[in-house]
């Protein structure tokens, strides 16, 4: 980014994502992710200047202001400490906040550390219903599944798509997740099995949906001067973008809509901002890996398009042709299995950064995309309202 100091990711960590952890308290779980990231960076908390703490709605962990519970467990007493919360975008927005603190010159080392215990909330969808307007939209009752079922139906209508196209996303991501030891759901699935699974809110079925995951993640960001002084090899953050969408679901449907709920045009703007900073002009040829936020198979269809990896309505045909998968030419989408296979909401966006960094550093194991140099990541929060995007690369040369 011209004129802005370079910031890199030098340490990442993630626990295995599961349905429930009974062996640790929430602060202990957060510390697991932080310790993994710090060890990966070759650091301790003594080296950290500040901490950014991603935490989605408090009700998901059952403790108000849960960030206060974790300061001592992290060993962060006396250090600047900031909480970030904007739903599913929380984890990546926290990384962007940390980037801002480093790029400003205020700090050299910032830790992003958090966790979530979604399935332990009792009813995550009841909690997430509270994001809508209390008088007009909450009583329907909307939740993330019904909200995105409306989006899926709109996409199908606009682009002559069907449920099989959604199933192809699930098949691809489950096949990738089988290679990822941290993924919550690692069992491969077939198109027929997806189509035969229980309907949650048409056209979304159980096979199209993410799990409610428990787990932690951490990311360590450093300034270029710190990296050079300590001989570190970061995954460099080359571009980032954020954008917001209208709060009202009713503004995304009908003849007077201000945004089409079947597309993700506001996310596309966030990607354009990140691409402009990174010098990316043709994502299809310049991007090797995309770790995108898509908790339901239908969402991946329009996020691929918002990222500029396919034209609007083009994704289903390209999926059917085998594209976007490990081993296929062109960008690989969600080689980790993505959000569809692990969704610890508060850190889901951070995991996208973790996976992207691993890819460009060549450390992604069995899910590694060969010769990956440039990765993009995204996260979506609220009622499909908050968008965060990022471009990472393994060097600071011009992206060709």
């Amino acid at each position: 980014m011209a004129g802005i100091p370079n910031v890199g990711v030098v340490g990442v960590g993630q626990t295995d994502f599961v349905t429930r952890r009974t062996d640790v308290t929430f602060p202990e779980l957060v510390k697991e992710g932080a310790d993994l990231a710090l060890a990966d960076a070759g650091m301790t908390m003594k080296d950290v200047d500040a901490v950014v703490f991603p935490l989605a709605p408090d009700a998901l962990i059952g403790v108000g202001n849960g960030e206060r519970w974790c300061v001592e467990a992290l060993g962060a007493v006396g250090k600047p400490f900031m909480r970030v919360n904007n739903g599913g975008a929380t984890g990546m927005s926290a990384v962007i906040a940390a980037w801002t603190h480093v790029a400003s010159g205020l700090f050299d080392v910032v830790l992003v550390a958090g966790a979530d215990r979604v399935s332990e909330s009792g009813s995550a969808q009841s909690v997430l219903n509270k994001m809508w307007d209390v008088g007009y939209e909450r009583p329907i009752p909307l939740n993330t599944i019904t909200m995105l079922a409306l989006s899926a139906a709109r996409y199908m209508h606009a682009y002559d798509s069907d449920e099989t196209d959604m199933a192809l996303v699930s098949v691809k991501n489950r096949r990738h997740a089988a290679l990822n030891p941290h993924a919550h759901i690692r069992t491969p699935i077939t198109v027929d099995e997806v189509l035969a699974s229980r309907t949650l809110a048409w056209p979304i079925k159980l096979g199209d949906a993410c799990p409610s995951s428990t787990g932690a993640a951490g990311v360590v960001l450093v300034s270029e001067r710190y990296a050079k002084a300590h001989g570190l090899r970061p995954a460099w953050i080359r571009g980032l973008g954020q954008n917001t969408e209208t709060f009202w679901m009713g503004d995304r449907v009908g003849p007077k809509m201000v945004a089409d709920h079947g597309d993700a045009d506001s996310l596309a703007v966030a990607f354009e901002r990140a691409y402009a900073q990174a010098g990316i002009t043709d994502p299809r040829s310049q991007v090797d890996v995309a770790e995108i936020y898509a908790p339901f198979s239908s969402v991946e269809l329009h996020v691929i398009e918002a990222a500029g990896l396919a034209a609007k309505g083009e994704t289903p045909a390209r999926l059917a042709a085998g594209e976007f998968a490990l081993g296929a030419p062109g960008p690989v989408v969600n080689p980790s299995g993505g959000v569809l296979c692990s969704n610890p909401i508060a850190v889901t966006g951070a995991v996208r950064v973790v996976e992207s960094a691993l890819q460009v550093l060549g450390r992604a194991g069995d899910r590694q995309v060969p010769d990956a140099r440039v990765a993009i990541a995204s996260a979506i929060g609220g009622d499909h309202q908050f968008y965060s995007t990022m471009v990472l690369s393994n060097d600071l040369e011009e992206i060709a």
Side-chain angles (χ1 to χ4, degrees), residues 37-58:
L38 289 168
D40 191 49
M43 298 181 186
T44 69
M45 277 299 295
K46 291 181 180 180
D47 301 303
V48 174
D49 298 321
V51 177
V52 180
F53 191 88
L55 179 60
D58 292 322

mmCIF file of all heavy atoms in Angstrom, residues 37-58:
data_model
loop_
_atom_site.group_PDB
_atom_site.id
_atom_site.type_symbol
_atom_site.label_atom_id
_atom_site.label_comp_id
_atom_site.label_asym_id
_atom_site.label_seq_id
_atom_site.Cartn_x
_atom_site.Cartn_y
_atom_site.Cartn_z
ATOM 1 N N ALA A 37 -0.604 -19.157 18.503
ATOM 2 C CA ALA A 37 -0.133 -18.107 17.600
ATOM 3 C C ALA A 37 1.203 -17.540 18.065
ATOM 4 O O ALA A 37 2.108 -17.299 17.253
ATOM 5 C CB ALA A 37 -1.182 -16.997 17.509
ATOM 6 N N LEU A 38 1.339 -17.318 19.368
ATOM 7 C CA LEU A 38 2.594 -16.779 19.893
ATOM 8 C C LEU A 38 3.748 -17.764 19.697
ATOM 9 O O LEU A 38 4.861 -17.370 19.320
ATOM 10 C CB LEU A 38 2.430 -16.436 21.375
ATOM 11 C CG LEU A 38 1.554 -15.217 21.678
ATOM 12 C CD1 LEU A 38 1.233 -15.148 23.158
ATOM 13 C CD2 LEU A 38 2.235 -13.932 21.211
ATOM 14 N N ALA A 39 3.480 -19.031 19.936
ATOM 15 C CA ALA A 39 4.526 -20.043 19.724
ATOM 16 C C ALA A 39 4.930 -20.096 18.258
ATOM 17 O O ALA A 39 6.117 -20.242 17.926
ATOM 18 C CB ALA A 39 4.025 -21.405 20.195
ATOM 19 N N ASP A 40 3.958 -19.958 17.383
ATOM 20 C CA ASP A 40 4.242 -19.974 15.949
ATOM 21 C C ASP A 40 5.123 -18.796 15.558
ATOM 22 O O ASP A 40 5.966 -18.900 14.653
ATOM 23 C CB ASP A 40 2.925 -19.944 15.170
ATOM 24 C CG ASP A 40 3.112 -20.224 13.689
ATOM 25 O OD1 ASP A 40 3.785 -21.206 13.348
ATOM 26 O OD2 ASP A 40 2.578 -19.442 12.879
ATOM 27 N N ALA A 41 4.938 -17.672 16.258
ATOM 28 C CA ALA A 41 5.735 -16.481 15.979
ATOM 29 C C ALA A 41 7.062 -16.482 16.719
ATOM 30 O O ALA A 41 7.905 -15.608 16.478
ATOM 31 C CB ALA A 41 4.943 -15.231 16.362
ATOM 32 N N GLY A 42 7.249 -17.449 17.632
ATOM 33 C CA GLY A 42 8.456 -17.472 18.437
ATOM 34 C C GLY A 42 8.475 -16.379 19.486
ATOM 35 O O GLY A 42 9.536 -15.844 19.824
ATOM 36 N N MET A 43 7.289 -16.045 20.023
ATOM 37 C CA MET A 43 7.153 -14.957 20.978
ATOM 38 C C MET A 43 6.449 -15.418 22.248
ATOM 39 O O MET A 43 5.899 -16.526 22.317
ATOM 40 C CB MET A 43 6.338 -13.800 20.371
ATOM 41 C CG MET A 43 6.927 -13.144 19.155
ATOM 42 S SD MET A 43 5.856 -11.800 18.582
ATOM 43 C CE MET A 43 6.675 -11.327 17.069
ATOM 44 N N THR A 44 6.427 -14.519 23.226
ATOM 45 C CA THR A 44 5.595 -14.666 24.420
ATOM 46 C C THR A 44 4.792 -13.376 24.571
ATOM 47 O O THR A 44 5.008 -12.398 23.838
ATOM 48 C CB THR A 44 6.445 -14.893 25.680
ATOM 49 O OG1 THR A 44 7.155 -13.680 25.990
ATOM 50 C CG2 THR A 44 7.436 -16.037 25.482
ATOM 51 N N MET A 45 3.898 -13.343 25.554
ATOM 52 C CA MET A 45 3.113 -12.139 25.769
ATOM 53 C C MET A 45 3.985 -10.936 26.119
ATOM 54 O O MET A 45 3.581 -9.787 25.926
ATOM 55 C CB MET A 45 2.071 -12.364 26.868
ATOM 56 C CG MET A 45 0.794 -13.028 26.381
ATOM 57 S SD MET A 45 -0.097 -12.070 25.110
ATOM 58 C CE MET A 45 -0.562 -10.616 26.052
ATOM 59 N N LYS A 46 5.188 -11.165 26.618
ATOM 60 C CA LYS A 46 6.082 -10.048 26.928
ATOM 61 C C LYS A 46 6.456 -9.265 25.678
ATOM 62 O O LYS A 46 6.775 -8.074 25.746
ATOM 63 C CB LYS A 46 7.344 -10.564 27.614
ATOM 64 C CG LYS A 46 7.113 -11.103 29.028
ATOM 65 C CD LYS A 46 8.418 -11.579 29.647
ATOM 66 C CE LYS A 46 8.190 -12.114 31.057
ATOM 67 N NZ LYS A 46 9.459 -12.589 31.683
ATOM 68 N N ASP A 47 6.417 -9.922 24.527
ATOM 69 C CA ASP A 47 6.769 -9.256 23.273
ATOM 70 C C ASP A 47 5.604 -8.473 22.675
ATOM 71 O O ASP A 47 5.796 -7.694 21.737
ATOM 72 C CB ASP A 47 7.230 -10.296 22.245
ATOM 73 C CG ASP A 47 8.430 -11.090 22.718
ATOM 74 O OD1 ASP A 47 9.454 -10.455 23.033
ATOM 75 O OD2 ASP A 47 8.331 -12.330 22.795
ATOM 76 N N VAL A 48 4.392 -8.679 23.189
ATOM 77 C CA VAL A 48 3.178 -8.102 22.607
ATOM 78 C C VAL A 48 2.934 -6.707 23.166
ATOM 79 O O VAL A 48 2.938 -6.502 24.384
ATOM 80 C CB VAL A 48 1.964 -9.014 22.889
ATOM 81 C CG1 VAL A 48 0.665 -8.353 22.427
ATOM 82 C CG2 VAL A 48 2.152 -10.370 22.195
ATOM 83 N N ASP A 49 2.692 -5.752 22.270
ATOM 84 C CA ASP A 49 2.425 -4.374 22.688
ATOM 85 C C ASP A 49 0.954 -4.141 23.016
ATOM 86 O O ASP A 49 0.634 -3.309 23.871
ATOM 87 C CB ASP A 49 2.819 -3.403 21.572
ATOM 88 C CG ASP A 49 4.295 -3.468 21.245
ATOM 89 O OD1 ASP A 49 5.107 -3.610 22.177
ATOM 90 O OD2 ASP A 49 4.645 -3.387 20.048
ATOM 91 N N ALA A 50 0.046 -4.821 22.318
ATOM 92 C CA ALA A 50 -1.388 -4.599 22.501
ATOM 93 C C ALA A 50 -2.148 -5.831 22.032
ATOM 94 O O ALA A 50 -1.627 -6.648 21.267
ATOM 95 C CB ALA A 50 -1.843 -3.362 21.727
ATOM 96 N N VAL A 51 -3.405 -5.940 22.481
ATOM 97 C CA VAL A 51 -4.249 -7.088 22.150
ATOM 98 C C VAL A 51 -5.572 -6.589 21.586
ATOM 99 O O VAL A 51 -6.183 -5.652 22.123
ATOM 100 C CB VAL A 51 -4.527 -7.955 23.393
ATOM 101 C CG1 VAL A 51 -5.482 -9.103 23.043
ATOM 102 C CG2 VAL A 51 -3.225 -8.489 23.975
ATOM 103 N N VAL A 52 -6.009 -7.208 20.492
ATOM 104 C CA VAL A 52 -7.358 -6.980 19.963
ATOM 105 C C VAL A 52 -8.133 -8.275 20.150
ATOM 106 O O VAL A 52 -7.657 -9.350 19.792
ATOM 107 C CB VAL A 52 -7.337 -6.565 18.487
ATOM 108 C CG1 VAL A 52 -8.764 -6.350 17.980
ATOM 109 C CG2 VAL A 52 -6.518 -5.293 18.295
ATOM 110 N N PHE A 53 -9.329 -8.143 20.727
ATOM 111 C CA PHE A 53 -10.099 -9.304 21.172
ATOM 112 C C PHE A 53 -11.407 -9.400 20.397
ATOM 113 O O PHE A 53 -12.317 -8.594 20.596
ATOM 114 C CB PHE A 53 -10.388 -9.155 22.667
ATOM 115 C CG PHE A 53 -10.955 -10.388 23.321
ATOM 116 C CD1 PHE A 53 -10.107 -11.361 23.840
ATOM 117 C CD2 PHE A 53 -12.315 -10.578 23.446
ATOM 118 C CE1 PHE A 53 -10.615 -12.495 24.457
ATOM 119 C CE2 PHE A 53 -12.836 -11.702 24.049
ATOM 120 C CZ PHE A 53 -11.985 -12.665 24.560
ATOM 121 N N PRO A 54 -11.537 -10.362 19.482
ATOM 122 C CA PRO A 54 -12.800 -10.543 18.767
ATOM 123 C C PRO A 54 -13.803 -11.320 19.620
ATOM 124 O O PRO A 54 -13.505 -12.417 20.091
ATOM 125 C CB PRO A 54 -12.384 -11.349 17.527
ATOM 126 C CG PRO A 54 -11.171 -12.118 17.963
ATOM 127 C CD PRO A 54 -10.481 -11.285 19.009
ATOM 128 N N LEU A 55 -14.970 -10.755 19.832
ATOM 129 C CA LEU A 55 -16.015 -11.449 20.591
ATOM 130 C C LEU A 55 -17.361 -11.049 20.029
ATOM 131 O O LEU A 55 -17.754 -9.881 20.069
ATOM 132 C CB LEU A 55 -15.938 -11.106 22.078
ATOM 133 C CG LEU A 55 -16.999 -11.765 22.977
ATOM 134 C CD1 LEU A 55 -16.888 -13.288 22.900
ATOM 135 C CD2 LEU A 55 -16.861 -11.293 24.412
ATOM 136 N N ALA A 56 -18.078 -12.008 19.468
ATOM 137 C CA ALA A 56 -19.396 -11.784 18.892
ATOM 138 C C ALA A 56 -20.409 -11.626 20.035
ATOM 139 O O ALA A 56 -20.018 -11.440 21.182
ATOM 140 C CB ALA A 56 -19.737 -12.936 17.949
ATOM 141 N N PRO A 57 -21.716 -11.681 19.770
ATOM 142 C CA PRO A 57 -22.681 -11.405 20.850
ATOM 143 C C PRO A 57 -22.370 -12.151 22.144
ATOM 144 O O PRO A 57 -22.109 -13.352 22.141
ATOM 145 C CB PRO A 57 -24.001 -11.867 20.239
ATOM 146 C CG PRO A 57 -23.828 -11.634 18.776
ATOM 147 C CD PRO A 57 -22.386 -11.957 18.503
ATOM 148 N N ASP A 58 -22.405 -11.410 23.257
ATOM 149 C CA ASP A 58 -22.094 -11.996 24.559
ATOM 150 C C ASP A 58 -22.955 -13.215 24.868
ATOM 151 O O ASP A 58 -22.512 -14.143 25.549
ATOM 152 C CB ASP A 58 -22.337 -10.961 25.677
ATOM 153 C CG ASP A 58 -21.340 -9.817 25.632
ATOM 154 O OD1 ASP A 58 -20.160 -10.079 25.342
ATOM 155 O OD2 ASP A 58 -21.737 -8.674 25.892
#
